[in-house]
Amino acid sequence: MTVNTPITTPFTAESTAAEVVDGIDLTGRRAIVTGGASGIGIETARALAGAGAEVTLAVRNVEAGERTADDIAGTTGSKQVLVARLDLADQASVAAFAAAWDGPLDMLINNAGIMASPLMRTPEGWEMQFATNHLGHFALATRLHGALAAAGSARVVSVSSSAHLRSPVVFEDIHFLERPYEPWAAYGQSKTANVLFAVEATRRWAGDGITVNALMPGGIRTGLQRYVTDEDLNRLRRESGGSAAPSWKTPEQGAATSVLVATSPLLDGIGGRYFEDCNEAGLNEPGTRRGVAAYALDKDDAALLWQVSVDTLAG
């Protein structure tokens, strides 16, 4: 299969996570879902657990994680829904989580994130959206590389957004030290980074049997929008040529593309791609909110981001 052959599936924007995984047996497989106690993370974890996987909810709030684990166990009958603390903005937390992981890892779903927040910085001075949405997940995935390689055919799922169309990675000033801070530009940059990570990680890790794909889950009303008003969202859709009246997915539908990328046999050996509505997306056409920006698939930028990320974390 060539890069020019888009992956198509029988599923659509209306498909749910449970429908996507129906008939797929994940018994004996192990998954981590970051942000697994809120939004589409819950339904991603529920679908994987329902198909037989051992699922670890990697969450900041362990109590919320325990409640979610109990709920998933109750609806699926799974006895393999675990909870572990992970704060992606805290590199010590990421290191501790990875160090505590034992054995192979089949699926890493990098799902957690923050959206359009006011300007906040980590103790290192990193802009919080980039630090959480990209650097935290980058550190987690690279620290878990050995566990992923041990699985033999592992998949990493990088949850991006159509907001990546709002900004490339601005390498000259990633952390808004010189340029004025704009919440949506910062979010968009971090979501572009999620796609670039999929491109470069697949290039580096495919030989270890690890593939990485990115996706846009769709518009879902969740806690992710805690900093965003309906007026903000409607204005952004108008600016992007979209409808002022958004079409929202349910959390079950929003989790479908993540679950498809994590489990579908149609993606065996496929990496470095961007999916939306359960199918591979084409290139974005200006004036629309669909598809992937060419800059998000740029191999040179992907390689540069990887090195910048390594250097940043080492600094």
Side-chain angles (χ1 to χ4, degrees):
M1 192 169 289
T2 69
V3 170
N4 298 321
T5 306
I7 304 298
T8 59
T9 81
F11 303 106
T12 68
E14 284 73 45
S15 299
T16 65
E19 289 167 348
V20 164
V21 81
D22 185 44
I24 297 176
D25 183 4
L26 299 179
T27 302
R29 309 290 294 279
R30 306 173 77 205
I32 292 170
V33 181
T34 69
S38 62
I40 64 171
I42 296 173
E43 300 309 325
T44 300
R46 192 189 312 277
L48 297 176
E54 175 197 287
V55 181
T56 297
L57 309 179
V59 296
R60 283 187 302 171
N61 184 333
V62 173
E63 288 185 5
E66 296 286 3
R67 288 194 298 270
T68 301
D70 289 344
D71 173 61
I72 292 173
T75 58
T76 64
S78 173
K79 302 291 193 294
Q80 301 182 95
V81 186
L82 313 173
V83 180
R85 187 179 184 279
L86 173 67
D87 182 348
L88 289 161
D90 177 353
Q91 285 299 309
S93 175
V94 176
F97 179 95
W101 184 265
D102 185 43
L105 173 61
D106 300 279
M107 293 164 279
L108 172 60
I109 292 85
N110 288 334
N111 165 83
I114 57 172
M115 173 192 280
S117 63
L119 178 59
M120 297 183 285
R121 298 191 183 278
T122 67
E124 296 88 351
W126 306 333
E127 188 276 314
M128 186 63 75
Q129 295 190 77
F130 191 82
T132 301
N133 299 349
H134 169 65
L135 287 173
H137 280 129
F138 178 88
L140 180 66
T142 52
R143 285 180 179 276
L144 290 172
H145 172 265
L148 292 162
S153 58
R155 295 187 186 184
V156 180
V157 178
S158 190
V159 179
S160 181
S161 166
S162 61
H164 85 274
L165 298 168
R166 301 190 69 80
S167 178
V169 175
V170 181
F171 288 102
E172 295 78 17
D173 187 12
I174 287 174
H175 298 287
F176 292 85
L177 299 175
E178 304 294 337
R179 56 183 171 139
Y181 180 74
E182 202 287 302
W184 284 101
Y187 181 66
Q189 171 180 253
S190 74
K191 294 289 102 178
T192 292
N194 292 154
V195 189
L196 290 171
F197 169 73
V199 172
E200 181 65 7
T202 293
R203 186 189 74 79
R204 288 172 173 260
W205 295 350
D208 300 316
I210 304 167
T211 53
V212 188
N213 287 291
L215 67 103
M216 154 63 171
I220 310 103
R221 267 315 216 173
T222 70
L224 181 65
Q225 290 102 5
R226 66 178 63 90
Y227 300 111
V228 185
T229 66
D230 286 338
E231 182 181 345
D232 289 334
L233 289 171
N234 291 340
R235 173 180 57 80
L236 290 161
R237 284 176 179 269
R238 286 194 297 272
E239 289 175 359
S240 304
S243 166
S247 174
W248 297 109
K249 290 185 178 183
T250 66
E252 293 85 355
Q253 291 170 331
T257 307
S258 294
V259 173
L260 178 122
V261 170
T263 66
S264 175
L266 296 171
L267 273 71
D268 284 347
I270 298 295
R273 314 276 187 105
Y274 177 91
F275 291 77
E276 61 187 356
D277 295 336
C278 294
N279 288 271
E280 185 178 353
L283 286 174
N284 171 253
E285 295 182 7
T288 73
R289 298 181 71 252
R290 294 191 61 79
V292 60
Y295 56 68
L297 299 176
D298 185 275
K299 293 178 180 178
D300 291 338
D301 276 5
L304 176 58
L305 177 64
W306 190 283
Q307 190 58 53
V308 167
S309 303
V310 169
D311 293 345
T312 300
L313 293 171

